[in-house]
Amino acid sequence: MATQRPGFPVKLTPTAAAATRGVGPAMPVRPMSVSATPSMASAAVRARMVQRLAAQGVADARVLRAMGTVERHLFVDSALVNQAYEDTSLPIGLGQTISKPNVVARMIELLLGAPALANQPEERLGRVLEIGTGCGYQATVLSHVAREVYSIERLRGLHERARVNLRPFRLATVHLLLGDGMIGYAKGAPYAAIIAAAGGESVPQTWIDQLAVGGRIVAPTQSAAGGQALVVIDKTQAGLQRSVLEAVHFVPLKSGIA
């Protein structure tokens, strides 16, 4: 009998190691700017962002549609609303950021470029694991190109913030998890794709173990030059295929719950 998937939202039990570290007070949950200025809520503003993404090389129609549909200004503080559709990362609290639109689109396009989806221009991804929910923006974009999204966040304040942000959307296919992203989420495996919004020295073996054959991981990792580079790992019947792409800059990948 198939294991029942958790509903929205989900709270993971901290590991013993995380419990011994102690959990600090949760970050106050502040609702995002739902009542943004009319210009920010305009579809024309998002359309211009999509045009810039296309000019920068994003070509997958599924990604461009998703980026043009999700209202990014709803995921940033009201003081930053006027910058919501610029190609820049923005602070979301606790030392974390919402990634630039170009980075979000680029990484999701890479997921959709997995060999298993070759020659299937309108096919959706299967189950996706996102490491680092943040404010919930990327998980919402992923919901438009994947059948199911499991998104895990280690910072309690951001997890709660993402819950507030996503609640109005009523996304039944998105499951928000509070837990240690470095160990993934075995109950949802195997995953067709895994995407990370934080970079470590290498891709954890647990992610590879939880990836389905034919699946793809897109994540930042430490580069030989000392910075970070975007890495793509395909899990094939013959083994792993790894590609190192452009330099990127993400927050560090950390373990435990805080």
Side-chain angles (χ1 to χ4, degrees):
M1 183 173 66
T3 303
Q4 185 176 0
R5 302 293 178 193
F8 168 81
V10 173
K11 178 179 178 180
L12 298 185
T13 302
T15 61
T20 58
R21 294 174 58 230
V23 177
M27 173 184 173
V29 178
R30 292 181 298 164
M32 295 295 97
S33 178
V34 176
S35 57
T37 60
S39 61
M40 287 296 102
S42 169
V45 178
R46 297 195 300 281
R48 287 194 292 271
M49 179 189 72
V50 169
Q51 290 172 355
R52 290 195 300 271
L53 292 173
Q56 292 166 343
V58 178
D60 194 299
R62 294 164 292 184
V63 177
L64 294 174
R65 280 198 301 269
M67 295 295 291
T69 300
V70 179
E71 297 170 303
R72 191 172 184 252
H73 67 273
L74 299 181
F75 295 85
V76 303
D77 285 323
S78 57
L80 300 173
V81 159
N82 288 334
Q83 302 177 57
Y85 296 100
E86 296 178 6
D87 196 28
T88 184
S89 59
L90 297 170
I92 56 174
L94 295 176
Q96 309 298 302
T97 60
I98 179 175
S99 295
K100 298 193 299 183
N102 176 264
V103 171
V104 173
R106 165 71 167 152
M107 293 180 71
I108 295 178
E109 185 173 52
L110 286 170
L111 287 184
L112 289 164
L117 293 180
N119 302 318
Q120 300 181 60
E122 291 301 318
E123 183 65 21
R124 280 181 170 237
L125 286 164
R127 188 176 303 123
V128 177
L129 175 64
E130 179 190 34
I131 309 297
T133 308
C135 61
Y137 173 70
Q138 183 169 264
T140 306
V141 177
L142 283 167
S143 74
H144 289 268
V145 300
R147 297 189 182 95
E148 193 172 18
V149 180
Y150 285 77
S151 182
I152 187 166
E153 174 59 56
R154 64 177 291 271
L155 298 176
R156 191 179 305 273
L158 288 185
H159 169 71
E160 295 297 333
R161 189 169 192 168
R163 289 179 62 190
V164 171
N165 288 346
L166 266 67
R167 189 171 291 126
F169 295 98
R170 298 186 177 275
L171 300 174
T173 60
V174 177
H175 312 286
L176 300 185
L177 314 167
L178 174 65
D180 187 344
M182 287 193 72
I183 62 175
Y185 185 60
K187 290 183 179 179
Y191 298 101
I194 298 176
I195 184 171
E201 293 184 3
S202 60
V203 171
Q205 182 62 41
T206 50
W207 299 359
I208 294 171
D209 294 341
Q210 292 172 23
L211 187 68
V213 174
R216 169 172 282 194
I217 295 174
V218 177
T221 61
Q222 186 172 315
S223 68
Q228 289 180 341
L230 207 54
V231 172
V232 172
I233 297 177
D234 290 311
K235 191 174 185 178
T236 72
Q237 294 285 359
L240 300 177
Q241 296 180 351
R242 175 186 170 99
S243 301
V244 180
L245 305 178
E246 67 266 22
V248 290
H249 181 69
F250 281 82
V251 296
L253 179 67
K254 297 181 180 180
S255 63
I257 301 171

